[in-house]
């Protein structure tokens, strides 16, 4: 129960950081949205601004108990949409920045790590939304903050571990083939 009642803090932190970065550099983010090739060109900039505002606004909605349910619905919708967009980019074989936190380097590319990170955040959103009707939080804000911090670390550690897997799996396959020869 503690984990499900702390998910809103994880989502608020992620949406706040991501939304603020995108609002600080809206044209960079618009270019990243365009890379996905989902929207017609005239809709890219308005959609990018709307997404950045939705992320920042979602963080604010999650912070206030009276609007938390709306924030959780928005967070679930955003993470689900981001997950679908990344999965489509991967299926198309696109090598593009994920636009998750404004990064454009190799570590910010759409791939297994970004897909896993987004899927874990979407799962946190869904579980938190489902737990909303389960009653009052099982712990105080301090315990919730600690649980949220641990969840955040776990999400990013798992995603970064996934970055290491393809290279290790490829080396293991080569070693196995060498032994069989």
């Amino acid at each position: 129960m503690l984990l499900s009642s702390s998910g809103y803090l994880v989502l608020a932190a992620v949406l706040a950081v991501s939304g603020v970065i995108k609002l600080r550099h809206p044209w960079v983010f618009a270019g990243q949205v365009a890379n996905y090739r989902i929207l017609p060109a005239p809709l890219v900039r308005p959609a990018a601004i709307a997404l950045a505002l939705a992320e920042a606004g979602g963080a604010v909605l999650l912070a206030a108990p009276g609007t938390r349910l709306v924030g959780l619905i928005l967070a679930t919708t955003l993470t689900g949409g981001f997950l679908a967009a990344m999965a489509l980019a991967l299926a198309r074989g696109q090598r593009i920045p994920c636009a998750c936190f404004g990064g454009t380097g190799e570590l910010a590319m759409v791939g297994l790590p970004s897909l896993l990170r987004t899927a874990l955040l979407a799962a946190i959103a869904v579980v938190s939304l489902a737990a909303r009707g389960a009653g009052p939080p099982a712990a105080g804000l301090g315990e919730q903050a600690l649980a949220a911090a641990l969840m955040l670390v776990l999400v990013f550690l798992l995603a970064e571990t996934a970055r290491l897997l393809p290279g290790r799996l490829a080396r293991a396959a080569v070693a196995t083939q060498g032994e069989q020869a």
Side-chain angles (χ1 to χ4, degrees):
M1 188 64 178
L2 175 61
L3 294 179
S4 61
S5 68
S6 303
Y8 78 94
L9 291 170
V10 171
L11 298 166
V14 168
L15 290 177
V17 169
S18 188
V20 167
I21 289 170
K22 291 169 184 169
L23 288 171
R24 287 185 64 209
H25 306 286
W27 307 128
V28 171
F29 180 53
Q32 292 170 327
V33 170
N35 288 338
Y36 279 89
R37 298 189 332 239
I38 294 172
L39 298 172
L43 296 180
V44 167
R45 283 186 177 181
I49 298 296
L51 284 170
L53 287 170
E55 284 183 321
V60 172
L61 291 170
L62 287 164
T67 57
R68 193 160 297 143
L69 178 60
V70 175
L72 286 170
I73 292 168
L74 180 58
T76 303
T77 303
L78 286 169
T79 55
F82 297 152
L83 190 58
M86 281 189 251
L88 181 61
L90 277 176
R92 291 177 175 168
Q94 292 176 282
R95 194 123 166 86
I96 59 174
C98 71
C100 300
F101 296 98
T104 57
E106 178 64 28
L107 294 178
M109 301 303 278
V110 170
L112 180 59
S114 61
L115 202 62
L116 179 59
R117 181 180 58 240
T118 305
L120 290 169
L121 291 171
I124 289 170
V126 168
V127 168
S128 297
L129 187 57
R132 265 304 270 174
L141 186 58
E143 290 89 359
Q144 287 180 346
L146 180 59
L150 292 173
M151 278 191 281
L152 263 175
V153 168
L154 184 61
V155 165
F156 285 92
L157 276 176
L158 288 172
E160 290 310 305
T161 300
R163 186 180 315 283
L164 300 174
L165 288 179
R168 290 188 183 257
L169 292 175
R171 285 192 297 276
V174 168
T176 303
Q177 289 173 354
E179 291 171 8
Q180 292 175 353

